[in-house]
């Protein structure tokens, strides 16, 4: 992905998340307003899943090994980790899923990136059954990236989607593998938010370490938690939420 686009998107999203989090708190794994509790949403978490319709970013990227949560009204949110840098510095379709929402990789710095060998990928489909008519822009989102290798967490948190522009892959339930559309500019990005129901991205911690204020070494051995939540725009209540842990050793 373009670093310039990523930095602009992250900075704008971080400002949005900071404002949002002043009015919200995490309670029992769900984002709720401080004045009104959210209704309980049945968990639809599943492991080692394909995402709908396929992996639509990149080329020759396999589906599968995602941890997913699908809401009763057909919102699917997903995360997985993958081997971003093999011994030759190349990405591989190797996900090292432990079958329970954890993914295991070697710790340390990968050459030539300066990042760990692992990265992570997120996906959201706001209408998996083509029945609700909901588009990506109809929801808010909260992506939480843990930089603390200890059992504790130190999250960089932001909405990665409702930003002026970003190089996500967009599509619908007919989009084939690698066939996602990337916005040409901010106007096109706004159109994609309003007309597509699938958004996906492949990222790594190194894109966002400038937002981490703790100075944690995310290349060291430890546990790194990732959480992705889809939020109702009107209530800030969670519609679907998925969490994974990356075990680096």
């Amino acid at each position: 992905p373009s670093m310039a686009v990523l930095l602009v998107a992250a900075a704008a999203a971080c400002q949005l998340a900071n404002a949002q989090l002043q009015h919200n708190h995490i309670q029992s794994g769900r984002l709720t307003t401080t004045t009104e509790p959210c209704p309980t949403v049945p968990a639809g978490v599943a492991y080692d899943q394909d995402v709908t319709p396929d992996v639509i970013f990149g080329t020759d990227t396999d589906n599968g090994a995602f941890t997913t949560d699908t809401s009763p009204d057909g919102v699917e949110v997903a995360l997985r980790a993958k081997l971003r840098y093999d011994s030759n510095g190349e990405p591989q379709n190797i996900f090292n899923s432990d079958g329970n929402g954890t993914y295991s990789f070697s710790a340390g710095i990968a050459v030539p990136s300066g990042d760990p060998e692992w990265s992570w990928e997120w996906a959201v489909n706001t209408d998996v059954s083509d029945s609700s008519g909901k588009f990506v822009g109809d929801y808010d989102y909260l992506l939480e990236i843990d930089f603390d290798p200890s059992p504790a967490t130190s999250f960089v948190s932001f909405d990665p989607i409702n930003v002026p522009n970003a190089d996500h892959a967009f599509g619908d339930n007919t989009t084939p593998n690698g066939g996602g559309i990337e916005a040409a500019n901010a106007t096109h990005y706004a159109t994609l938010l309003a007309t597509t129901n699938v958004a996906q991205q492949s990222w790594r911690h190194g894109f966002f370490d400038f937002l981490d204020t703790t100075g944690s070494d995310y290349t060291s051995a430890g546990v790194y938690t990732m959480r992705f939540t889809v939020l109702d725009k009107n209530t800030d209540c969670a519609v679907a939420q998925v969490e994974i842990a990356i075990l680096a050793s």
Side-chain angles (χ1 to χ4, degrees), residues 135 161 202 239 248:
F135 298 113
I161 293 177
S202 180
V239 175

Side-chain angles (χ1 to χ4, degrees), residues 30 41-47 49 67-72 75 77 239-241:
R30 298 288 174 180
V41 178
V45 176
Y47 307 110
Q49 298 296 299
T67 299
T68 64
D69 184 19
T70 305
S71 73
V75 176
V77 63
V239 175
Q241 182 185 80

Side-chain angles (χ1 to χ4, degrees), residues 14 32 48 57 66 86 96 103 119 124 140 145 149-150 161 170 176 220 231:
C14 189
T32 67
D48 292 338
F57 58 79
F66 281 96
D86 65 10
N96 294 345
Y103 299 79
S119 63
V124 62
D140 288 330
I145 308 168
S150 79
I161 293 177
F170 289 92
S220 63
L231 303 164

Side-chain angles (χ1 to χ4, degrees), residues 25-89:
H25 64 280
I26 299 293
Q27 181 178 17
S28 300
R30 298 288 174 180
L31 193 69
T32 67
T33 65
T34 54
T35 56
E36 297 180 8
C38 289
T40 301
V41 178
V45 176
Y47 307 110
D48 292 338
Q49 298 296 299
D50 288 345
V51 290
T52 309
D54 205 328
V55 174
I56 66 171
F57 58 79
T59 56
D60 300 322
T61 304
D62 290 349
N63 205 346
F66 281 96
T67 299
T68 64
D69 184 19
T70 305
S71 73
D73 54 352
V75 176
E76 175 188 86
V77 63
L79 286 168
R80 73 178 178 189
K82 72 177 292 183
L83 180 63
R84 176 59 183 83
Y85 297 102
D86 65 10
S87 58
N88 296 313

Side-chain angles (χ1 to χ4, degrees), residues 1 19 37 47 50 60 84 100 114 127 142 151 153 163 165 174 227 234-235 247:
Y47 307 110
D50 288 345
D60 300 322
R84 176 59 183 83
N100 60 358
D127 188 9
L142 185 66
T153 55
V163 295
N165 194 10
T174 67
R227 187 183 298 132
N234 296 318
T235 66
L247 310 180

